[in-house]
Amino acid sequence: MSKSKLLFKLENVSKRFNDETIALNKINLEINEGVTVFIGPSGSGKSTLLRLLNLLEVPNDGLIYYQDKIINDKVFDLGLHRQKVNMVFQNFNLFSHLTVLENLNLAQTEVLKKTKEEASISSIEYLKKVGLVDKKDNYPNELSGGQKQRVAIARSLVMNPEVILFDEPTSALDPEMIKEVLLVMKELVDGNINMIIVTHEMGFAKAVANEIVVIDQGGIVETGDPKTIFNKPKEERTKRFFDSLSYDLK
Amino acid sequence: MKKLLMGVLMLVSLILLSSCSESNSVYEFVIDDSYDNYIVLGTSADYPPYEWPMKNDGKSTVVGIDIELAKEIAKATKNNLRVINKGFDFLLEDLREGKVDFVLSGMNPTDSRKEIVDFSNIYYYASHAIMIHKDNLNTYNSIIDLNNAKTKIGAQLGSIQQELVDTSFPLSVKQYLQAIPDLIMQLDDKSIDALVIEEPVAKVYSKKYQDLVILDALIGNENDGSAAAVKKGNNELLTIINQVIAELKTSGQLDKIILDAVNLNESSSNSGSFSFLLESHFIVLLLKGLLMTIILAVLSVGLGSVLGFFIALMKLSDKKYLSIPAKWYIDIIRGTPLLVQVLLIYSFIQLPVSIVFGIDLSNFIPGMIALLINSSAYVSEIIRGGILAVDKGQKEAALSLGMTNNQVMKKIILPQAIKNIIPSLGNEFVTMIKETSIFMYLGVAELMYSAQIVKTETYQVKEVYIVVAILYLVLTLSTSKIMSVLEKRLRVHEQK
């Protein structure tokens, strides 16, 4: 990936909950194609920021552009936007009443208006990619956490999205399952898909990110490439955040 | 598939109902084959010897003084006779609305009744009798002994005897009920100490109940007696009725009618406890009542769920002009008694009498509407709760794939909410099975109505209520069982 193109642009975006608690305060940010990772302490607003990008949260002020179009605008086709900008959740959110295959088929038949047969062909293809084709007739409650998240990723991929938003995809997993999910995500990086990831997996962030965004107390602390951010952070708050992560008990 | 099954079930029920569709609340008497039209009598057939239900040639019918008189009136107006049997309280309302042409129900022309309908001349003067349990003969030697704060005296609600009790026994405790058989049962149980009823009625029951005796007669007003009621201003019919009464009195035929009715009543069987269970006629009557109860409950919960679903969506809406009316609707319906709702809706929705499968739709439809409105309020809260209980993440995931709100509701929320809804809906159904008993007052032949018929005809009041209680219990317990099986099957794919 050489010269990156602009994906998202945020201008003075603020988000308040219950019109009081300030979650994000006057954010100005540009997100380019490739892999962007949001890091920061818990409650910093990084998940809220991610959820603004497909309008699961609606900003109180400011403008959000996606490819030069304002998305928080009444005339904007939000359905089409979300089809192009999918999300993978911390708690998987697989449709609990549907089988794995039906989970993958549903949005294809409902949104892309494919026939069930066409949808199943793509679904099987992507289930193979995440290594779970033998689970296609199982229900979500019969899968392990790691398997659930791989299905969720496949469910997103079958929609042929331009961007996938990952909201702490490994936080709800047992340690031995984190790796299988990260490996699938790593494959996506190599497949040139745009990803915006909120994560606490610093090693992963360092390895895959084109750009790191450090967020704290509802604001952007600094942005930069992984080497700069991890090795020579400019801001004191970034350093403090990294310090808080190391549990080197001397 | 389930809808289909439900539809088939309904169809089978209706066919079953119509196959034995001799009506239980509407009776027709052909006076003369050449007459084309019917004159409609309203009566409350729980008042022997004036009118009571009776089996005749294996068919249910109504008999009694008033029925014979009504036949004479029908003949004089050159009409056949149709008799509609309904709760006493509804008779005058039906008359005012023109659902019936005249009312004969052992009714006394009280001043308050005269304000809303017109009465004929009195066709039968009856004195009032005081009945007591024979074990109490030593306690109560005369009428004066009854007037004290320890004595409980019963009378039919809204009757002339009620006024009489109020004026004659100011100190006593009063017990006013609508149905005479219930009062008789209480007297027999000694739940009440004395009962004031019309003398011929008292005589009938003192013969059926060995333990009950007539203590004394009460002299009431000389206007106390039974008269026919017609709609205010219907002088044409009133003139004919007065003529008929005058002729029957002069010819002595009225005395014969009265004597025949008393004899007929005495001859009817009263052969011991639970003997009605051996007669297929009564069994069929009760089972038909049971079937009707099921149909009413299914219809009210079924249609109530459809209406309730939209009410629930309205209340969940973030648009105030939808959510606030929905909240009012639910609050009002849940905050008022069902009987009041039925009575109000019955007086607002006035339909002409039309009989399908032996059911008078002019009663059935308002009753059904009241019941489904009532059910919809409760069901809408069940549905709303079921929808709210679905994990928010499910909706977010579906939206994030580009699905519309409608698609999310249809494909994600509702299929999951249904698992939360079904068990509570089962409870609502069990409640409704019991609530349908209010149809009794409207003359729709559900289980309680059938019970009224059987108990009036057999005089086995307590026994009939025991059997009916068991039938309700069987129905509600099997419903609960079916629901819990259904619930288990639905919960198979529950997210852990």
Side-chain angles (χ1 to χ4, degrees), chain B residues 245-288:
Chain B
I245 291 172
E247 280 165 24
L248 291 176
K249 271 185 180 168
T250 329
S251 68
Q253 215 185 322
L254 190 59
D255 292 333
K256 189 177 174 299
I257 287 176
I258 293 165
L259 196 67
D260 284 351
V262 173
N263 288 337
L264 179 64
N265 188 273
E266 277 176 30
S267 70
S268 67
S269 62
N270 180 21
S271 42
S273 291
F274 293 105
S275 61
F276 64 94
L277 288 176
L278 299 173
E279 291 189 48
S280 64
H281 164 69
F282 294 126
I283 301 287
V284 168
L285 207 58
L286 289 174
L287 289 182
K288 272 165 69 181

Side-chain angles (χ1 to χ4, degrees), chain A residues 51 82 94 97 139 141, chain B residues 394 396 400 411 493-494:
Chain A
R51 287 160 62 86
R82 284 170 172 164
L94 294 182
H97 63 302
Y139 282 89
N141 66 341
Chain B
Q394 297 280 314
E396 290 185 347
S400 295
K411 298 286 176 179
H493 306 304
E494 189 85 323

